[in-house]
């Protein structure tokens, strides 16, 4: 039964991943289609601009006696044969073979193999000798490989001159045969000397060691192979008539396939990184996701219109997100006589003031009599947008030891009550002292008796300790964060400042989310903006004011 449940869960997980992939690719279909096409065109253009090359191939047969070597218990005959062939293939490109070919053809005077300009200077800087540079240049143009399962090895040389490519391929093949013959002659000389020593040691007086006797027995056992000829050239290289094709079509096809896979993977990564699923929000901030608020245009973000979006665009996505937030808040009211909701963010410019104002305006439109308080006493942003000409505010009344209710303004059109942060006159008492005073707590308690619904716009958590003090007086806390702009680490750092009020946090409201349906196709500009938003960026440490 458990195995059946695991199988069902695995199938559900696979279906979820497939659905996520479909949505990710569909939303970014323009970019997913455009990227492989651009990459394929660039790859074809590069292939067409490559220099013309001529390939000539010489075919040699390696020593056929190698296949007669016996297999040991640890290796099969096929493995031993393959190891022997690999060793001979490596010998073709060994330094002595290449050096001989270079000397015969005088390639050290050939500009094609002699480093020039910056490459020559770099070689001298790295301590490489001219001889090593020429050998490396020749080896980079050589391609040595076994031909299927035979004892034939192809030596292919690539050069800009067809005659030169054939001449070098034949020279390398001849140099390999010469090197092999020299090695073979040395081995035969050693065997002859050992045989002579064995004849001189007929009485076994110890001139020949026991290991030499064993080696001599192996020579005697396989002596029949010594008459078989060594490696030879089967086919000499001839100058090719046509250059090796660059194959731009094939190159473009491969580049298109690779780029298409990369684009699909990037689309899935962007979907995962920008997704506002509840599980991701809870994992990031340890609190539920309340709503996602669409991005406000720059021309409206700092105006009074943004503070009244639910009135300016009641049918818009932003207004619907605000109504969703209000519904979540109402679920926690539970018949309380008064409810104070604190709207706070980690940094400035994340839209906390705007959301607080729109929540209060939505309550007013719904028939409540809400009170909106601008509690950002240091910058008074909301006061400047809604009541820039106010003569006094919360701080003024507190400093003058007067009832704060005397500074409340009322909007006749909606019935919203607004308490500005302060007036234009400077306040002689530090803000922190006012917030920590008993008079401030008493003032909040008095406002609770007059208003059932109070929405307070708090200053950023990482700007000062004001929001932490206000959080102790609130019933509910709405944490506002720019999901695709504010680093998650910074947001978590801000939430840690009000960790003692964790139970009061209703959820996270995500701002600056693209205002579109999940199935809508994004433009190329929007995909680029999305990539920029999720790209790693330097995180600056926030300092308290």
């Amino acid at each position: 039964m458990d195995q059946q449940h695991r199988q069902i869960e695995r199938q559900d997980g696979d279906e979820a991943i497939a659905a996520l992939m479909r949505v990710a690719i569909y939303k970014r279909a323009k970019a997913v289609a455009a990227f492989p096409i651009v990459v394929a065109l660039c790859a074809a253009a590069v292939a067409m601009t490559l220099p013309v090359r001529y390939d000539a191939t010489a075919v040699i047969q390696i020593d056929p006696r190698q296949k007669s070597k016996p297999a040991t218990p640890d290796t099969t005959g096929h493995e031993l044969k393959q190891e022997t062939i690999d060793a001979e293939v490596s010998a073709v490109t060994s330094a002595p073979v290449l050096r001989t070919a270079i000397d015969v053809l005088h390639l050290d005077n050939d500009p094609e193999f002699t480093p020039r300009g910056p490459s020559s200077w770099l070689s001298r800087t790295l301590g490489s000798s001219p001889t090593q540079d020429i050998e490396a240049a020749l080896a980079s143009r050589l391609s040595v490989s076994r031909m299927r399962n035979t004892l034939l090895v192809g030596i292919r040389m690539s050069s800009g001159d067809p005659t030169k490519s054939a001449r070098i391929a034949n020279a390398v093949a001849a140099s390999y045969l010469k090197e092999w013959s020299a090695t073979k002659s040395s081995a035969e000389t050693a065997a002859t000397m050992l045989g002579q020593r064995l004849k001189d040691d007929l009485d076994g007086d110890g001139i020949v060691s026991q290991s030499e006797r064993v080696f001599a027995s192996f020579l005697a056992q396989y002596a029949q192979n010594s008459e078989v000829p060594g490696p030879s050239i089967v086919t000499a290289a001839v100058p090719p008539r046509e250059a090796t094709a660059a194959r731009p079509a094939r190159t473009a096809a491969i580049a298109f396939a690779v780029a298409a896979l990369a684009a699909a993977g990037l689309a899935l990564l962007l979907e995962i990184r920008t997704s506002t699923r509840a599980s991701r929000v809870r994992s990031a901030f340890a609190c539920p996701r309340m709503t996602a608020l669409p991005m406000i245009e720059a021309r409206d973000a700092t105006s009074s219109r943004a503070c009244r979006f639910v009135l300016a665009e009641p049918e818009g996505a932003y207004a619907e997100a605000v109504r969703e937030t209000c519904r979540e808040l109402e679920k926690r009211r539970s018949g309380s006589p008064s409810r104070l909701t604190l709207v706070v963010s980690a940094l400035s410019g994340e839209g906390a003031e705007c959301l607080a104002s729109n929540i209060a305006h939505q309550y007013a439109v719904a028939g409540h009599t809400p009170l909106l308080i601008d509690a950002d006493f240091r910058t008074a942003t909301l006061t400047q947008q809604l009541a820039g000409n106010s003569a006094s505010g919360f701080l003024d009344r507190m400093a003058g030891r007067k009832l704060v209710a005397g500074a409340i303004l009322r909007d006749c059109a909606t019935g919203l009550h607004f308490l500005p942060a302060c007036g234009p006159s400077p306040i002689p008492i530090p803000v922190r002292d006012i917030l920590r005073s008993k008079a401030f707590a008493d003032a909040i308690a008095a406002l609770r008796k007059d208003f059932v619904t109070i929405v307070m716009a708090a200053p950023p958590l990482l700007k000062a300790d004001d929001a932490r003090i206000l959080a102790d007086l609130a019933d509910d806390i709405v944490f506002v964060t720019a999901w695709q702009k504010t680093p998650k680490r910074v947001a978590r750092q801000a939430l840690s400042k009000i960790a003692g009020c964790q139970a009061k946090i209703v959820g996270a409201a995500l701002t600056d989310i693209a205002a579109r349906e999940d199935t809508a196709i994004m433009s190329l500009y929007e995909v680029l903006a999305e990539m920029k938003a999720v790209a790693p960026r330097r995180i600056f440490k926030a300092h308290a004011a």
Side-chain angles (χ1 to χ4, degrees), residues 333 335-340 447-454 475:
R333 185 176 291 272
S336 300
S338 178
R339 203 76 179 171
L340 192 157
L447 292 174
R448 282 177 175 272
K449 295 179 180 179
D450 297 333
F451 296 94
V452 175
T453 302
I454 301 175
D475 298 308

Side-chain angles (χ1 to χ4, degrees), residues 58-72:
V59 181
I60 62 174
Q61 178 179 328
I62 66 171
D63 185 4
R65 286 174 290 184
Q66 304 292 348
K67 65 180 181 180
S68 300
K69 289 187 177 181
T72 64

